[in-house]
Amino acid sequence: MGPGIVRSLVPARMDRLPWSPFHTRLVMALGVAWVLDGLEITIAGNVGAFLQRSDTLGLTSAEVGLSASVYLIGEVVGALFFGWMSDRMGRRKLFILTLAVYLIASGLTALSWDLGSYLVLRFIAGTGIGGEYAAVNSAIDEMIPSKYRGHVDLGVNGTYWLGALLATSATFVLLDPGGPLDPDWAWRLGFLIGPVIGVLIWGLRRHLPESPRWLMTHGREDEAEGVVAAIEKEVERETGAELPPVPEEQAIEVVPQKRLPLIEVARTLFRTYPRRSFLSATLMICQSFLYNAIFFTYALVLTHFYGIEAGDVPVYMFAFALGNLIGPLTLGRLFDTVGRRQMIAGTYITSGTLLAVTGWLFERGALTATTQTVMWSVIFFIASAAASSAYLTVSEIFPIEMRAQAISIFFALGQVVGSFGPAIFGALIGDQAHPDPTRLFWGYLFAAGMMIFAGIVEILFGVKAERTALEHVAEPLTAIEARARRTAERRAGETP
């Protein structure tokens, strides 16, 4: 063994595990990040019309859209900062810290007294959720066996819409015009739902181990071996199966390092993997703009174009969210069997095409609130799988040493562009008594074109990652260094 080189079976041992209750607990504890984000965004969208009332905060349509953009910008800041910390400090510390940030800020949002305080607290809550995406996506991909990774990742990302459904059900009761709650109390109670769920999941998350892959590449091989051994014992006990030994030839050699300089992150993204970086940026930007633009302003569309009462908006949002939840759960396994490139390209292009058709029908006045919702539910059944696949792609096609930072960079890039969507679409809707559907149609057409373009990029640059170990999809930088040292040793030995 060369100086500083560690030989490890940790990745192979993690990938050969059968599904077990341990993996179920892992998904439940970490997947709540998407539930909470879906809950937060849905509540904000559903109470948007309520916040325009004079007996609440009295916001304008543009200010409602602005608050959504501020939350998304907070996610950008949180993803970049906490993603950088996650690659240095570990996954576990960060997914505990980011949950705490979210819990405190979201709970305090219920105490907002004006536009300024509401925006500040939404921003801070966004930083917590943004950090969750980087730390949690990394941990899930590194601890879920490769044969399950694709559909588990899609399913977990899709639970964003479980949060949306929970929020829609809750706000349907809280915002009931005939209900007993004062409007200014109703929307505030809505923002307390997320913190309650977060507190309930806190204990489960605290008992999760650190990612063994992260430990291995950071010079903590003994800890990594200990974590894997404990997981193996737990899996054998819970499943009753005896795990087969892992062949020695599946071992990986690495030169552990404590941290990766930012210049090396940039070099890897844009010099080593320029095509993967362009692919990641395109997938994240296009799905983010589509979702943020349409979802944050859908309540405004219902109230301004179809005359739906603010208290009835959750009924329509429920069907919309249900389609989004079922999509990744139904289509997810195809990403592991049919293949990443075929399914990602297909879902992006199909959803974009359907969106363009629906936008045209909307502009022609051929839709009602009900048929609009049906069309959206069909479109986003497919688009939800596409959006989830963007996160899957970014989280598995870059080396482990910079995985969280790669996720945070492309997530942030997508959210920066996507954060303009609600403000733009809010302005297209406007506050006039008779809004012009043609203006909004051009917005829908632009979003549809972005999705189709992303699908074409996937056809050109997509990466075959289905049922493949992460170390084979993107070789760890520490393994490249180990190979370079081996080569140098061999050459030195051949020198007379």
Side-chain angles (χ1 to χ4, degrees):
M1 188 73 64
I5 297 177
V6 172
R7 186 175 176 84
S8 176
L9 286 169
V10 162
R13 290 166 66 188
M14 292 295 292
D15 276 344
R16 68 89 148 78
L17 294 175
W19 190 265
S20 70
F22 164 78
H23 296 104
T24 301
R25 290 193 297 274
L26 174 75
V27 170
M28 288 178 59
L30 298 183
V32 75
W34 285 265
V35 175
L36 294 177
D37 193 23
L39 188 143
E40 282 290 303
I41 289 179
T42 305
I43 287 179
N46 287 354
V47 305
F50 256 63
L51 296 181
Q52 294 183 276
R53 296 172 53 140
S54 59
D55 55 351
T56 58
L57 295 185
L59 306 183
T60 66
S61 292
E63 288 171 339
V64 170
L66 175 64
S67 68
S69 296
V70 166
Y71 174 81
L72 297 176
I73 292 171
E75 287 193 329
V76 168
V77 174
L80 291 173
F81 177 68
F82 291 122
W84 174 77
M85 291 181 65
S86 180
D87 279 337
R88 284 158 174 73
M89 297 175 58
R91 316 309 190 200
R92 185 176 182 277
K93 289 180 181 178
L94 267 296
F95 61 60
I96 290 177
L97 174 61
T98 52
L99 180 60
V101 171
Y102 160 77
L103 290 177
I104 295 171
S106 185
L108 291 177
T109 300
L111 303 178
S112 302
W113 60 90
D114 60 10
L115 175 63
S117 60
Y118 183 68
L119 293 180
V120 168
L121 291 168
R122 295 300 293 152
F123 175 83
I124 298 174
T127 63
I129 291 296
E132 288 269 289
Y133 276 111
V136 170
N137 260 315
S138 300
I140 288 178
D141 274 10
E142 291 165 12
M143 298 178 73
I144 294 294
S146 58
K147 57 180 173 289
Y148 306 113
R149 190 176 66 242
H151 60 272
V152 167
D153 211 329
L154 256 73
V156 167
N157 278 277
T159 58
Y160 173 102
W161 298 102
L162 175 59
L165 287 172
L166 293 174
T168 299
S169 301
T171 52
F172 180 70
V173 175
L174 294 174
L175 305 183
D176 181 4
L181 292 176
D182 179 272
D184 195 44
W185 277 100
W187 73 267
R188 296 178 188 276
L189 291 175
F191 280 108
L192 294 177
I193 299 172
V196 170
I197 296 175
V199 168
L200 292 176
I201 209 71
W202 181 271
L204 187 59
R205 184 174 285 195
R206 286 180 59 249
H207 290 92
L208 293 178
E210 179 58 88
S211 162
R213 282 178 158 104
W214 183 88
L215 291 169
M216 174 193 72
T217 58
H218 284 74
R220 297 162 65 176
E221 172 66 14
D222 290 343
E223 290 181 59
E225 292 286 344
V227 170
V228 174
I231 293 174
E232 289 173 333
K233 289 181 181 178
E234 190 172 346
V235 170
E236 288 182 327
R237 183 178 67 253
E238 293 174 337
T239 64
E242 183 175 346
L243 298 175
V246 178
E248 184 61 29
E249 58 265 25
Q250 293 185 18
I252 183 174
E253 291 187 347
V254 299
V255 177
Q257 59 185 45
K258 295 297 183 182
R259 62 187 61 188
L260 188 69
L262 291 177
I263 188 64
E264 186 62 29
V265 173
R267 184 182 297 113
T268 303
L269 287 177
F270 304 115
R271 181 180 295 177
T272 307
Y273 295 114
R275 290 189 174 190
R276 294 187 181 191
S277 295
F278 179 70
L279 170 68
S280 299
T282 302
L283 294 180
M284 292 296 285
I285 287 172
C286 293
Q287 66 83 24
S288 180
F289 185 88
L290 171 78
Y291 264 96
N292 293 328
I294 291 180
F295 189 59
F296 271 114
T297 59
Y298 190 42
L300 299 179
V301 171
L302 292 172
T303 56
H304 286 63
F305 287 94
Y306 297 112
I308 302 300
E309 293 292 331
D312 293 329
V313 166
V315 176
Y316 297 88
M317 298 297 289
F318 188 89
F320 180 78
L322 186 61
N324 277 278
L325 174 63
I326 295 174
L329 297 176
T330 303
L331 301 175
R333 289 190 179 274
L334 298 178
F335 287 77
D336 279 327
T337 55
V338 174
R340 300 284 201 266
R341 178 176 294 162
Q342 297 91 325
M343 289 303 300
I344 295 173
T347 51
Y348 268 86
I349 292 173
T350 301
S351 58
T353 302
L354 291 176
L355 175 61
V357 173
T358 302
W360 178 77
L361 293 172
F362 168 78
E363 193 270 339
R364 300 286 294 179
L367 300 176
T368 64
T370 299
T371 54
Q372 174 91 65
T373 301
V374 170
M375 294 295 290
W376 278 159
S377 298
V378 173
I379 292 169
F380 286 91
F381 171 89
I382 302 170
S384 180
S388 295
S389 71
Y391 291 93
L392 168 64
T393 298
V394 174
S395 65
E396 67 181 359
I397 65 174
F398 295 103
I400 182 175
E401 297 86 353
M402 52 175 287
R403 176 165 292 120
Q405 290 177 86
I407 295 170
S408 67
I409 288 169
F410 292 110
F411 171 80
L413 185 59
Q415 293 296 69
V416 165
V417 177
S419 67
F420 291 101
I424 292 172
F425 274 57
L428 290 175
I429 294 169
D431 292 307
Q432 60 268 35
H434 301 287
D436 181 8
T438 302
R439 295 170 55 186
L440 193 54
F441 164 64
W442 288 111
Y444 290 150
L445 198 61
F446 179 74
M450 292 181 70
M451 293 294 286
I452 294 172
F453 172 73
I456 295 172
V457 171
E458 173 64 29
I459 293 174
L460 297 175
F461 302 132
V463 178
K464 179 178 172 59
E466 57 271 16
R467 305 176 72 86
T468 303
L470 290 172
E471 291 72 22
H472 295 159
V473 177
E475 187 176 15
L477 301 178
T478 48
I480 295 174
E481 174 64 20
R483 190 171 65 253
R485 291 193 184 185
R486 287 289 193 193
T487 301
E489 290 172 8
R490 185 173 63 252
R491 288 176 178 173
E494 293 172 353
T495 303

